[in-house]
Amino acid sequence: MKTEEMKDMLAKVENLARMEVADKELMAKRLHAVLDYVGQLKALDIPSPELEDAHRMTIEDSQQEIQPFERDEQIIDKNYPQRDENGVVVPKFVKKAIS
Amino acid sequence: MSWTIKSAQEAIEKGELTSVDLLKDVYKRVDAYEANSQAYLSLEDRDVLLKQAATFDEQRQKTGKAPHGFPIAIKDNIAVKGLSLTAGSKVLENFVAPYDATIIKRLRQAGFLFIGKANLDEWAFGSSTEHSAYHVTKNPIDLECVPGGSSGGSGAVVSYGGALAALGSDTGGSIRLPASYCGIYALKPTYGSVSRFGLIAFGSSLDQIGPMTRSLDDLSILLKELHGKDPYDETSRAFQFESEQVPDEIVLGVPNNLDGFLDGCDEVVLRGYQDFLKFVGTLPKVKTVELDLKPLTYALPIYYIIAPAEASSNLSRYDGIRYGQRVKDASLDNIYRKSRALMGDEAKLRILVGTFALSAGYQEAYYGHATKLRNQLRGWMGNQLDQCHAIVIPTANTKAFKIGEKKHDPIAMYKSDTYTVAVNLTGNPALSCPHYTTHSHLPMGIQFLGKHGQDYALCSLARVFSDFFEVREVTS
């Protein structure tokens, strides 16, 4: 990555993190070096069969069929929100759900 | 002479030592070595502690029973009511803890005295304590070298005897690395077994507070005070710890390919580890099983995604509004930016790495993938530990290095954590024990990794090899 591209990337991340960096060139280089180092995990080859089994398990777990959420019309108040005498929202559907 | 908790306990119970004399002995060590080592960031008022110790002595004389008043040091990212709490950062300069962390409350009830707050890398980000915003702590064994980090102040204090023991926090090896460099013992407990309430959060799924001591017995004594469920920490739970009984035949897991696994280790660590394997070979009823431990080294890049990601989230609260220093400006956004700019370069770097790893477009490739690999590592670790009673590897790949040697090379510094970070990702306990080779005046650490809940069992297991371990007295 060129120095200017590194600085651009730093500026974006600085903005997201709401943080100012004094020596932008140095920090951009360090940030790039760290991301380059940790980037190796994207191609990390894990030869151990135990690890592959564990990985397969997590994939299988994540692929389990998700039961559709059954919407219970009973607990939804069509007139929500209603307010009490003080103007505070009365969460009627919550009360019904709890009872 | 430096006291251990156990030796002081025995001397007090025999009437050979008072709590006041114990405290004075510790202050003699502080007076002799602190100026050079600079391990503490702040010290509690001596008169307050001496008065407290005198109260214990009086109570003991009258009733025959009283707390011992063991003086211990606390890493300065753990809240002790009324004492400073800086986390090594200028952001929290002059901040005083308004309450006790749960573990401090427990230790206070047990009669421990908190002699001072120990130096650390800012927010516990580092492996050398050079990233403290206040000063660099020096290794008391060799003042030109770092004490390790991030709990380097805690490690140095225990090493020179400026406290009987210390508490540190371990997110990626932060108590084991200083233990290795400073020649003492340290144990990272099983994740969830010790409350984190009152610890300044770095990586919430990785952080664990642990003891640093001059003996294995002291580790067990402190662990018994620290362990336990805390209603203020939802991740804590009451563990059924494995028996401390040592099995009739001990099986240690060791790497099947020393050359591959120990790549990057310095001469002292290589020789020390090989000497340990030779020593194990001379012991009856101890055998080794060779394991492919290469995946342990994969933990480092996984860790350096997950830890900064969690850190960037945890440290977003230090925005100048809610805690610590606030830089004045008319714009709210500028207050955030300028107040957060008070952080040091390493803290900023980690926050930026974490922010990048969690940003839209990159989250799945970095954080998502690292999380999957972490799950795999957890499964793998469990499988390896099913084949042995503990895995034994070096704690660090080098002995203590010179101050300034790695400070400006983050990757070189991160690689100090190669052998320590895996158990933080998997939640397992790990114990570091000190050893001196004949090739260096600096120590190295031998690390035992155990199954979840084997905290005490690891201490018992390590006692079998205690002839190999040594804590030296700092004398100059």
Side-chain angles (χ1 to χ4, degrees):
Chain A
M1 200 183 274
K2 289 176 189 166
T3 312
E4 285 311 309
E5 286 174 327
M6 282 190 230
K7 279 189 185 171
D8 281 352
M9 189 178 79
L10 174 69
K12 282 178 194 161
V13 187
E14 253 185 304
N15 197 36
L16 284 171
R18 293 270 202 291
M19 202 163 59
E20 280 182 3
V21 171
D23 188 341
K24 294 196 190 298
E25 193 162 331
L26 181 67
M27 187 58 85
K29 277 184 188 161
R30 285 187 182 172
L31 179 62
H32 180 66
V34 175
L35 292 177
D36 197 38
Y37 175 72
V38 296
Q40 67 173 285
L41 68 80
K42 285 191 280 185
L44 206 58
D45 179 32
I46 301 165
S48 158
E50 288 91 346
L51 275 176
E52 281 163 17
D53 284 350
H55 183 48
R56 203 168 299 124
M57 273 175 62
T58 59
I59 291 171
E60 282 166 9
D61 289 348
S62 68
Q63 287 174 341
Q64 276 179 1
E65 195 181 343
I66 298 166
Q67 296 299 318
F69 174 69
E70 285 181 22
R71 195 179 170 96
D72 186 352
E73 295 295 334
Q74 289 271 311
I75 64 168
I76 297 172
D77 188 333
K78 298 271 182 349
N79 298 318
Y80 180 82
Q82 286 185 338
R83 293 178 188 274
D84 64 13
E85 62 275 15
N86 298 317
V88 177
V89 171
V90 181
K92 279 190 176 176
F93 68 100
V94 174
K95 285 181 184 166
K96 281 184 184 172
I98 292 167
S99 64
Chain B
M1 183 197 82
S2 297
W3 292 98
T4 63
I5 293 177
K6 196 175 181 198
S7 66
Q9 184 179 31
E10 285 169 357
I12 289 172
E13 283 169 9
K14 281 181 193 163
E16 295 165 357
L17 179 73
T18 65
S19 299
V20 169
D21 287 340
L22 172 63
L23 188 57
K24 284 181 178 171
D25 279 355
V26 169
Y27 277 132
K28 276 183 202 161
R29 307 284 302 177
V30 172
D31 292 339
Y33 300 106
E34 177 59 20
N36 284 337
S37 183
Q38 298 187 62
Y40 281 110
L41 277 176
S42 57
L43 283 157
E44 170 63 291
D45 188 323
R46 287 190 187 201
D47 291 339
V48 169
L49 291 189
L50 283 166
K51 205 171 162 189
Q52 181 68 63
T55 311
F56 291 156
D57 287 335
E58 271 172 39
Q59 193 183 331
R60 197 176 305 111
Q61 266 191 335
K62 279 182 192 163
T63 66
K65 211 177 171 189
H68 299 86
F70 303 124
I72 61 168
I74 309 294
K75 186 176 181 178
D76 201 22
N77 62 350
I78 300 170
V80 179
K81 190 176 179 180
L83 296 188
S84 73
L85 180 63
T86 67
S89 177
K90 286 284 174 191
V91 171
L92 288 181
E93 193 170 18
N94 302 323
F95 183 80
V96 175
Y99 62 87
D100 275 341
T102 297
I103 49 151
I104 295 297
K105 213 178 270 178
R106 286 183 186 157
L107 290 170
R108 206 186 280 284
Q109 280 165 0
F112 283 77
L113 300 177
F114 309 117
I115 191 165
K117 303 300 291 291
N119 198 12
L120 69 159
D121 286 296
E122 185 175 15
W123 308 117
F125 295 166
S127 309
S128 66
T129 317
E130 291 169 289
H131 295 299
S132 167
Y134 297 94
H135 57 249
V136 176
T137 293
K138 292 162 187 140
N139 190 322
I141 299 167
D142 183 336
L143 295 171
E144 289 184 4
C145 292
V146 301
S150 63
S151 310
S154 300
V157 159
V158 177
S159 179
Y160 80 66
L164 270 57
L167 293 187
S169 62
D170 192 313
T171 308
S174 286
I175 62 171
R176 288 163 286 149
L177 203 64
S180 173
Y181 289 178
C182 294
I184 57 168
Y185 294 90
L187 189 137
K188 183 205 88 77
T190 304
Y191 182 81
S193 66
V194 175
S195 165
R196 290 181 296 113
F197 180 72
L199 168 70
I200 290 183
F202 162 5
S204 305
S205 75
L206 307 158
D207 293 337
Q208 198 64 168
I209 294 170
M212 304 168 81
T213 64
R214 297 179 66 83
S215 79
L216 283 165
D217 290 330
D218 287 7
L219 284 181
S220 300
I221 291 169
L222 271 171
L223 278 173
K224 282 178 182 141
E225 302 294 344
L226 300 177
H227 278 147
K229 181 165 174 54
D230 174 17
Y232 292 113
D233 175 4
E234 280 301 314
T235 61
S236 73
R237 60 192 179 100
F239 269 83
Q240 287 294 322
F241 290 103
E242 240 180 65
S243 162
E244 292 180 57
Q245 182 105 29
V246 177
D248 291 338
E249 186 183 60
I250 297 171
V251 182
L252 296 180
V254 298
N256 63 357
N257 178 1
L258 280 190
D259 291 339
F261 185 72
L262 299 177
D263 280 350
C265 284
D266 72 15
E267 188 71 9
V268 167
V269 173
L270 277 173
R271 289 197 186 216
Y273 187 63
Q274 283 163 348
D275 288 349
F276 178 74
L277 295 182
K278 276 184 209 154
F279 173 76
V280 165
T282 65
L283 298 176
K285 296 183 179 176
V286 181
K287 68 173 192 176
T288 56
V289 54
E290 291 192 349
L291 304 170
D292 177 12
L293 296 182
K294 187 72 181 162
L296 269 183
T297 60
Y298 298 163
L300 200 62
I302 302 171
Y303 173 84
Y304 274 101
I305 288 291
I306 290 177
E310 293 190 12
S312 70
S313 170
N314 275 323
L315 268 66
S316 63
R317 74 192 69 176
Y318 302 106
D319 55 8
I321 303 297
R322 285 165 287 190
Y323 297 96
Q325 304 284 333
R326 179 184 302 173
V327 176
K328 286 182 183 167
D329 197 287
S331 146
L332 180 63
D333 197 51
N334 282 344
I335 291 175
Y336 292 154
R337 289 170 194 277
K338 289 179 180 171
S339 300
R340 286 164 70 74
L342 293 172
M343 293 190 202
D345 281 350
E346 180 60 24
K348 284 178 186 165
L349 177 61
R350 294 204 191 195
I351 289 172
L352 293 172
V353 170
T355 304
F356 176 85
L358 292 176
S359 62
Y362 297 102
Q363 185 174 6
E364 190 46 42
Y366 284 90
Y367 186 73
H369 194 64
T371 308
K372 280 177 199 157
L373 289 169
R374 179 185 191 175
N375 281 335
Q376 293 176 335
L377 194 70
R378 200 176 282 145
W380 173 86
M381 183 73 93
N383 287 342
Q384 304 309 305
L385 285 166
D386 280 344
Q387 299 172 52
C388 56
H389 294 106
I391 292 172
V392 187
I393 54 174
T395 306
N397 50 14
T398 66
K399 60 187 185 301
F401 49 86
K402 299 266 184 202
I403 291 170
E405 192 179 316
K406 297 183 183 177
K407 193 183 176 191
H408 301 295
D409 183 352
I411 305 301
M413 189 73 91
Y414 296 172
K415 283 184 178 171
S416 306
D417 302 335
T418 301
Y419 300 134
T420 53
V421 294
V423 291
N424 295 87
L425 291 166
T426 60
N428 295 69
L431 163 66
S432 179
C433 302
H435 171 69
Y436 287 83
T437 68
T438 52
H439 311 287
S440 174
H441 64 295
L442 289 164
M444 64 163 290
I446 296 286
Q447 190 180 200
F448 295 76
L449 317 182
K451 287 181 192 168
H452 291 232
Q454 270 192 334
D455 305 30
Y456 298 101
L458 282 183
C459 294
S460 306
L461 199 70
R463 277 189 200 102
V464 173
F465 311 99
S466 57
D467 286 348
F468 192 78
F469 305 132
E470 179 188 8
V471 175
R472 288 186 184 169
E473 194 79 12
V474 172
T475 53
S476 58

